[in-house]
Amino acid sequence: MMKFYLTPGSCSTGIHILLEEIGLVFEAYIVNLLAGDQHKPEYLAFNPKATIPVLIRDDGVALTEFPAIAYWLAKSYPKAKLLPADLDGETRAIEWMHYIVGTVHGQGFTRIFTTDKYSQNPAEHAAIQAQGREMVIQSFEIINKALADKKYLLGTFSVADAALFYVEFWATRTEIPLPEHCAAHYQQMLKRPAVLQVLREEGYRY
Ligand SMILES: N[C@@H](CCC(=O)N[C@@H](CS)C(=O)NCC(=O)O)C(=O)O
């Protein structure tokens, strides 16, 4: 059985949603990032990057990096229709995932959540967090325009929406206002049974 390493309410929530959308049976392992589980030798043995999410496949191969795991899931379980069938649509899905994971999360939210990785000087932390917040707000404006005429980033639900959902979820928890179409996308996602199930399984009341 596949093994999925997650931290509730983190970027792994997006992959968790995809697993539930497909209807896969898997073993879930909670990684307590604050306690440093990701730095334990037994974890580093299969993921030396010390990050979540990780999906260990049936054949024992460990997959890391949100876009790679999402792409592998979508291509391995095509009946779930997590990627558009055409090359251009597939390319757009990858483009959005990289932007959301690499820029919105990797540059914006990391400045807010892991400020000490940017400076050891507490006097600089407020400015770094403000910069991260501004980066996130600007990114949501770009995403907002893309959502103006559709419910999902590519028209129908795809892996890109699972990525967008977790940063929208973080925005609602850090008092970053979601622009109109992102807020509508977030509500649309909350109507999906798989999303509600994941949030409940991860300990949230929805
Ligand atoms: N680029 C990675 C980013 C993963 C990542 O940064 N995950 C965070 C949690 S959302 C993490 O594992 N942080 C480790 C830590 O805080 O020590 C991906 O796409 O999966």
Side-chain angles (χ1 to χ4, degrees), residues 10-11 33 38-39 50-53 65-67 101 105 114 117 170:
S10 75
C11 55
L33 294 176
Q38 71 277 32
H39 299 295
T51 54
I52 49 94
E65 301 296 319
F66 188 110
V101 178
H105 168 183
T114 51
K117 288 193 177 155
W170 286 349

Side-chain angles (χ1 to χ4, degrees), residues 173-187:
R173 275 164 169 69
T174 50
E175 292 174 9
I176 292 177
L178 285 175
E180 181 187 359
H181 305 300
C182 293
H185 175 267
Y186 184 64
Q187 292 306 321

Side-chain angles (χ1 to χ4, degrees), residues 3-196:
K3 297 184 169 102
F4 177 48
Y5 289 79
L6 74 143
T7 303
S10 75
C11 55
S12 55
T13 300
I15 297 296
H16 196 174
I17 288 169
L18 297 177
L19 291 166
E20 294 297 347
E21 289 279 352
I22 296 168
L24 280 176
V25 178
F26 57 90
E27 288 173 6
Y29 295 88
I30 305 286
V31 181
N32 186 336
L33 294 176
L34 291 177
D37 289 355
Q38 71 277 32
H39 299 295
K40 290 183 178 162
E42 57 269 32
Y43 192 80
L44 295 173
F46 59 80
N47 181 13
K49 296 173 189 166
T51 54
I52 49 94
V54 175
L55 184 67
I56 302 188
R57 301 187 319 204
D58 291 340
D59 62 2
V61 169
L63 299 179
T64 64
E65 301 296 319
F66 188 110
I69 300 170
Y71 185 76
W72 182 82
L73 284 171
K75 296 298 271 189
S76 302
Y77 300 93
K79 280 190 190 154
K81 293 190 182 349
L82 299 175
L83 270 177
D86 62 306
L87 178 61
D88 276 4
E90 199 173 302
T91 305
R92 287 281 175 232
I94 293 169
E95 186 181 43
W96 276 122
M97 282 196 292
H98 274 283
Y99 182 62
I100 292 162
V101 178
T103 300
V104 188
H105 168 183
Q107 295 185 31
F109 275 109
T110 55
R111 281 176 165 76
I112 299 168
F113 292 146
T114 51
T115 318
D116 53 346
K117 288 193 177 155
Y118 289 87
S119 169
Q120 297 290 317
N121 181 356
E124 293 175 356
H125 284 185
I128 293 166
Q129 288 179 351
Q131 186 190 29
R133 199 181 153 83
E134 195 49 42
M135 289 166 116
V136 170
I137 288 170
Q138 282 180 14
S139 300
F140 275 128
E141 281 306 327
I142 290 166
I143 297 166
N144 193 51
K145 287 196 181 95
L147 283 169
D149 55 353
K150 40 184 138 53
K151 286 183 182 171
Y152 294 108
L153 277 170
L154 302 175
T156 55
F157 177 79
S158 76
V159 288
D161 298 292
L164 179 53
F165 178 78
Y166 84 75
V167 291
E168 288 171 342
F169 181 74
W170 286 349
T172 65
R173 275 164 169 69
T174 50
E175 292 174 9
I176 292 177
L178 285 175
E180 181 187 359
H181 305 300
C182 293
H185 175 267
Y186 184 64
Q187 292 306 321
Q188 186 67 29
M189 289 291 289
L190 289 175
K191 288 182 190 158
R192 298 185 74 84
V195 173
L196 290 175

